[in-house]
Amino acid sequence: MQRKLFLVLSLVCTILCCTVTVYGAIELSRQGRTPQLIKDVYHKDGTPYIAIDDALPALGMSGYWDSVAHVYKIKSPRGRATFFPGGQYLRLGETFYPIKHKPLFIDGRLRVSEDFILEQLAEVLPTPIYYRNLNPISAPDADQGMLDKLFAFLLQKKKSSTEPALRAVAIDPGHGGDDMGTIGRNGIKEKDVVLAVAKKLKKKLKMQLGVPVYLSRDDDYTLSAEQHLGCARHDDVDVFLLLHAQASLVPDEHGVHIYVRPEKDELNGNEGFGNSSMMFALQLSSALRSAGFNVVEVAQAPLLQLVRGNLPTVLIEMGYLSNLEDKNMLNSGIGQQRFADALFVGLQRFANADK
Ligand SMILES: [Zn+2]
């Protein structure tokens, strides 16, 4: 009798384990090296998760879990990179690379998703990565489950939110008047393209969300540094966006750079996880990427003295006026609108996210 019960129990256990855990295998190496077979692969909602301690040696790197700082540290050819379970970015020096699927502890091991390997780890390596999923799983059930959860979450969100998520937005189109900013190809001026994008974003925010939008300038005139920041002084302002464009002597250099101020207290490599400016920057970055823009980095930079220290504030260098493609995008009404639309999506996501 006892033996029978034991058998039944172990059978139930096996069935349960099979339904919650799906294992697979991958091959991984630096391009041109012998691929390493990794069998301890966990599929969560159709995405393979690989233990970071398996992935790094296969790529000729190493790393360790720092239990004091609560971060994982990678020794890479480009220096020390860090990330943490549940985190939204990989940090390399002062640059933050947004992570799509958060790293998780699964079965007692810190695991990263396939796209973490292909995107974030690829950033820290000088050579391309070879990766092959040996058990690609199409998981319609899991995806459906995810969608159901998402809808349930959205419905819940709608019911509970009585206050508007965003009260007002401040936007500073950089430069103006005598201060042209950067002058790009064909004499395109930074002061003009940033104003055009700011106006389009303002219109979209007013029409779709009905929130007040304060611009530091709505025409081509000179402002003091103080006046540039003045628009963020209104009490109802919840986010502050500073728009710029840049130029380089290297004509190929292109793409978007997003900056936030450095976190003040950086003790023991603790990256200041609760930084709302960083969260805002990551939402903008992911919206821009989804819209097809090349976001080069989300980084910390000693930006500016601010009215309110805790106001989520992000400076965006929208592109290089010295690069033909960027210049054409920023100088055309359609390109400016696409950029403004992407910023709008990022703003909305940030406002609706739990903070
Ligand atoms: Zn500028």
Side-chain angles (χ1 to χ4, degrees):
M1 184 64 198
Q2 278 233 310
R3 198 181 148 76
K4 235 181 191 172
L5 186 66
F6 175 75
L7 276 175
V8 170
L9 274 178
S10 58
L11 188 66
V12 168
C13 213
T14 312
I15 291 168
L16 274 178
C17 291
C18 287
T19 53
V20 292
T21 319
V22 190
Y23 286 101
I26 61 145
E27 282 182 343
L28 182 64
S29 68
R30 289 196 192 184
Q31 197 77 260
R33 304 269 177 90
T34 314
Q36 306 288 306
L37 179 67
I38 298 176
K39 284 181 174 168
D40 182 12
V41 175
Y42 179 96
H43 283 263
K44 185 174 177 290
D45 302 323
T47 302
Y49 279 77
I50 297 102
I52 186 73
D53 289 328
D54 288 342
L56 291 178
L59 295 170
M61 289 192 285
S62 63
Y64 64 98
W65 171 248
D66 182 336
S67 57
V68 178
H70 216 68
V71 294
Y72 191 94
K73 296 182 174 170
I74 299 173
K75 288 176 202 154
S76 86
R78 291 185 58 201
R80 199 186 75 178
T82 58
F83 69 96
F84 55 95
Q88 292 177 295
Y89 52 83
L90 172 84
R91 178 177 183 171
L92 179 69
E94 289 306 305
T95 303
F96 294 77
Y97 298 95
I99 298 175
K100 201 157 110 198
H101 295 98
K102 295 170 183 173
L104 297 170
F105 272 107
I106 305 172
D107 285 354
R109 306 188 75 192
L110 180 58
R111 291 167 197 266
V112 294
S113 69
E114 155 184 282
D115 46 76
F116 182 93
I117 292 177
L118 294 173
E119 289 169 30
Q120 279 71 46
L121 287 186
E123 291 285 353
V124 303
L125 277 175
T127 48
I129 287 177
Y130 167 85
Y131 173 91
R132 191 156 81 98
N133 184 356
L134 301 176
N135 313 79
I137 288 174
S138 59
D141 291 348
D143 284 349
Q144 193 54 48
M146 283 270 280
L147 280 180
D148 287 347
K149 264 186 231 162
L150 182 66
F151 282 130
F153 173 74
L154 289 175
L155 285 173
Q156 213 179 3
K157 193 96 197 152
K158 213 167 184 179
K159 261 183 258 159
S160 65
S161 66
T162 46
E163 280 177 36
L166 203 61
R167 291 173 304 160
V169 177
I171 305 171
D172 171 40
H175 315 280
D178 298 336
D179 174 7
M180 315 265 182
T182 291
I183 314 269
R185 296 171 73 110
N186 311 100
I188 303 301
K189 299 181 193 84
E190 178 187 355
K191 64 171 186 175
D192 294 330
V193 300
V194 295
L195 180 62
V197 172
K199 281 181 163 177
K200 288 182 162 64
L201 179 57
K202 174 177 177 168
K203 192 172 172 192
K204 181 123 186 162
L205 282 162
K206 291 201 76 144
M207 282 174 61
Q208 306 233 350
L209 300 182
V211 296
V213 179
Y214 306 108
L215 294 189
S216 59
R217 64 182 177 97
D218 58 7
D219 213 333
D220 182 21
Y221 44 83
T222 314
L223 298 180
S224 66
E226 180 81 352
Q227 286 168 323
H228 273 292
L229 304 180
C231 58
R233 286 227 168 76
H234 296 89
D235 283 340
D236 52 350
V237 166
D238 283 333
V239 288
F240 186 25
L241 211 51
L242 298 100
L243 300 181
H244 288 261
Q246 55 188 334
S248 164
L249 291 173
V250 184
D252 284 347
E253 207 163 355
H254 68 286
V256 184
H257 294 249
I258 302 180
Y259 299 104
V260 297
R261 277 167 305 143
E263 192 84 347
K264 261 180 253 157
D265 47 340
E266 277 197 305
L267 36 108
N268 302 323
N270 197 321
E271 339 285 44
F273 307 143
N275 185 337
S276 57
S277 291
M278 179 54 80
M279 294 305 147
F280 181 30
L282 292 174
Q283 291 287 8
L284 292 172
S285 152
S286 94
L288 283 163
R289 283 188 175 164
S290 304
F293 292 100
N294 167 36
V295 179
V296 180
E297 61 173 357
V298 176
Q300 296 190 342
L303 288 184
L304 29 120
Q305 292 297 319
L306 262 197
V307 252
R308 269 184 278 147
N310 59 352
L311 178 68
T313 302
V314 168
L315 185 148
I316 301 190
E317 293 283 359
M318 302 189 295
Y320 288 79
L321 297 178
S322 46
N323 173 262
L324 187 62
E325 222 174 285
D326 276 10
K327 190 250 348 175
N328 286 343
M329 181 273 292
L330 289 170
N331 195 39
S332 76
I334 294 172
Q336 293 162 354
Q337 190 63 55
R338 271 187 56 222
F339 203 95
D341 288 350
L343 293 179
F344 173 80
V345 170
L347 253 156
Q348 216 180 7
R349 283 192 201 148
F350 173 71
N352 290 324
D354 283 327
K355 278 171 260 165

